[in-house]
Amino acid sequence: MIKNKEELLQVRESAREQVAAYDCRILVCSGTGCIATGSTKIYEEFLKLTKDTPGVVLDFAPHDEGEHDHVGVKKTGCQGFCELGPLVRIQKGDEVIQYVKVQVDDCKEIFDTTVMGDGVVDRLLYTKKDVHYKHPEDIPFMAKQTRIVLENCGRVDAESLDEYIAAGGFEALTKAMFDMSKDEIIDEVDRSGLRGRGGGGFPCGRKWKQVARQAEKVRYVVCNGDEGDPGAFMDGSVMEGDPFKLIEGMMIAAYAVDSSDGYIYVRAEYPMSVKRLRHAIAQLEERGLLGDNILGTDFSFRLHINRGAGAFVCGEGSALTASIEGNRGMPRVKPPRTVEKGLWEKPTVLNNVETYANVPKIILQGADWYRTIGTEGSPGTKTFSLTGSIENTGLIEVPMGSTLREIIFDIGGGLKNGAEFKAVQIGGPSGGCLTEKHLDEPLDFDSVKKFNAIVGSGGMVVMDTNTCMVEVARFFMSFTQRESCGKCVPCREGTKRMLEILEKIVAGEGEMEDLDRLEELANMIRSMALCGLGKSAPLPVISTLKTFRDEYVQHIVDKKCPAKVCQAMRRFVINPEYCKGCGKCAKNCPVGAITGVRKECYHINPKLCIKCGACKDNCAFDAVYIEE
């Protein structure tokens, strides 16, 4: 048990000595992405190799007699470079070597060459244009990032309280509790300019002030870990990779606003986040850092985990609190707002995972330091998940105000296979598309609004010229309509009508009047929907209509999809110059639309063709193509 501030300092000193005493630490990425590609087996193999090697002691044993090599095998959070997982880092003193695409069969070579020796396995290093990058900070993907929220991910054992304490964990909480008044804590967060990273961008300190001044003395601190945007995995990676930092941020908030109970609302699709959070809470309770009279003070705080049922709308504040209460997750009319009547009608601080994870550094290093990063209106950093047609997919953290060009081409490595950039969908289904003319615009909460987009929670899907923007709008509208809670007519019926029009256009049955109808419906939903999710639902359609209107017109007037994506508009043709008359296309056609004689050119009947593409997929001579 850690009973007071002095005992916490002793634990920190002991934990730091233990980490420093390792001759080598094997850091295996155990984020969801790397686990999916086999990192658990790699972790187990390194454990076995360590245990079976004479003269090597697994972990640090202070009373060992004789000379031993102390080797630690650790599960870290997401190391970021998801494209190249499974990822393994070998730490010897201050030097860290990054290995990529590691397989179980590679573990023995890494162990013998790098763990027990001084060599490097070159073939497992990140390589670009014949240049081997030995250290993670040298890799362009990592070198251009600024990590605050993700600072510990890939560096410490995600499941160890002692390692978190050794890395400076709970120094911020100690400073807040013993060196600052509650008003000073809130003022420091407010002066930092930290804005909610869940998408709304509301000033965090202002929200805390509003809760602190309420007459009602029962107050709650709630974390939104629902993260439902397609392609977004930032909050999940923080909960998996550094759960203690999130918890420390929530504890500082609870202390500042006099709350004794906190809730973390995690989407059901994040089982690893739930597992690591539960493990973290159990350790903190066992050591006395959660519960009654924390560090010998009168501050008591308990933390609970609620699992969401997978409803996108539960990312909205009032729907989230309704779900925690056991009711159906549906937004309510405001005011009153959550800061006045939130969870169980009590004043509630509600921020997302990334927002809370920023708080410890702000308390430790001050608001002035935090404001040196980012922009005047959006200080600090932002995490993004890079997905889509990009060379380096993964998790990144950059200063607010970074440009798309820096993110996509410097960090992301450009588009796959040298494809031409077309657009990036930012902000998920509530966001919009930015194009080549926006590549040098700063990405912050205020700047992107000018282009009918939002930063949102940080999902970023990169698209090349093979992407149909009408289909992109249809996809996101389909998602939003399916996830509508149905409480208000504008969202429930308006998104349904918009989806029907978009489906009509991609089916080749659109009319020019449909574009006017889409704009009318979009404006109606934005002005009349009940909650923020409903109001932002039309943004993907609005932004694509504005920027790629010519594609909509081509679908309607020419009945053609320029990207050859929309199935109803594809016309498959066999090139007689390439056709060998093998008949394989005819054999694989499910509707008998292809006829011909062997060793002569076959033909496709467009009236029978269902445009499934089986003929093109099965042609060994590239004779089948989609007509322009």
Side-chain angles (χ1 to χ4, degrees), residues 91 134 151 171-172 249 289 309-310 321 405 420 511 526 586 618:
Q91 179 184 12
K134 184 177 177 182
E151 180 184 20
E171 284 186 16
L289 291 175
T321 54
R405 190 181 302 278
E420 186 180 345
E511 305 168 6
R526 288 188 75 181
N618 286 282

Side-chain angles (χ1 to χ4, degrees), residues 240-539:
E240 292 173 1
D242 202 359
F244 297 104
K245 180 179 283 187
L246 159 64
I247 292 171
E248 184 176 6
M250 292 186 69
M251 291 177 73
I252 292 169
Y255 180 79
V257 303
D258 288 318
S259 170
S260 59
D261 281 285
Y263 292 81
I264 306 176
Y265 189 88
V266 189
R267 62 183 304 197
E269 296 90 337
Y270 282 170
M272 182 59 68
S273 296
V274 173
K275 179 182 177 182
R276 296 245 169 100
L277 284 167
R278 284 177 174 165
H279 184 64
I281 291 170
Q283 289 183 74
L284 290 166
E285 290 175 341
E286 183 182 351
R287 303 286 286 277
L289 291 175
L290 275 179
D292 295 329
N293 305 116
I294 296 169
L295 295 179
T297 68
D298 59 359
F299 174 50
S300 299
F301 186 65
R302 288 175 174 78
L303 205 49
H304 317 273
I305 296 175
N306 283 76
R307 300 184 69 176
F312 180 66
V313 74
C314 285
E316 195 275 341
S318 59
L320 184 150
T321 54
S323 182
I324 293 176
E325 293 166 359
N327 301 314
R328 182 179 175 187
M330 298 178 77
R332 59 168 170 77
V333 177
K334 305 171 191 66
R337 303 222 168 248
T338 306
V339 292
E340 300 158 339
K341 289 190 176 181
L343 189 61
W344 286 298
E345 300 273 305
K346 305 298 183 183
T348 301
V349 170
L350 174 58
N351 289 119
N352 86 319
V353 173
E354 187 181 347
T355 311
Y356 284 121
N358 270 286
V359 170
K361 273 282 191 180
I362 292 171
I363 295 300
L364 271 181
Q365 297 191 224
D368 293 337
W369 162 81
Y370 194 72
R371 280 195 167 275
T372 64
I373 305 166
T375 65
E376 178 64 28
S378 301
T381 60
K382 180 73 192 80
T383 61
F384 291 98
S385 57
L386 273 180
T387 59
S389 180
I390 192 166
E391 281 289 339
N392 304 329
T393 61
L395 181 68
I396 68 169
E397 185 176 359
V398 295
M400 280 284 195
S402 299
T403 66
L404 276 177
R405 190 181 302 278
E406 292 168 336
I407 292 172
I408 294 172
F409 292 95
D410 295 344
I411 295 174
L415 275 70
K416 283 185 178 179
N417 304 317
E420 186 180 345
F421 172 75
K422 185 172 186 177
V424 58
Q425 172 73 17
I426 185 171
S430 300
C433 288
L434 301 178
T435 63
E436 189 172 8
K437 66 181 181 181
H438 303 123
L439 283 175
D440 295 308
E441 295 288 345
L443 285 180
D444 59 58
F445 288 114
D446 302 316
S447 297
V448 298
K449 288 181 180 178
K450 298 181 292 187
F451 312 115
N452 292 310
I454 58 173
V455 170
S457 60
M460 193 177 286
V461 184
V462 180
M463 296 171 279
D464 60 26
T465 50
N466 296 314
T467 306
C468 172
M469 303 312 296
V470 184
E471 170 56 26
V472 167
R474 188 210 63 78
F475 169 81
F476 282 111
M477 185 52 63
S478 174
F479 177 87
T480 306
Q481 202 282 320
R482 187 172 63 250
E483 293 292 337
S484 172
C485 74
K487 185 172 184 178
C488 72
V489 174
C491 181
R492 183 182 70 235
E493 299 299 326
T495 56
K496 187 175 183 180
R497 297 286 88 79
M498 289 186 74
L499 177 60
E500 287 172 352
I501 294 172
L502 290 166
E503 288 177 338
K504 179 182 168 187
I505 293 173
V506 299
E509 300 169 358
E511 305 168 6
M512 286 302 294
E513 292 80 4
D514 288 332
L515 303 186
D516 295 329
R517 295 187 187 106
L518 281 174
E519 290 178 332
E520 281 181 34
L521 285 164
N523 291 330
M524 180 273 293
I525 296 169
R526 288 188 75 181
S527 61
M528 298 178 66
L530 175 63
C531 74
L533 295 181
K535 291 179 184 297
S536 58
L539 284 179

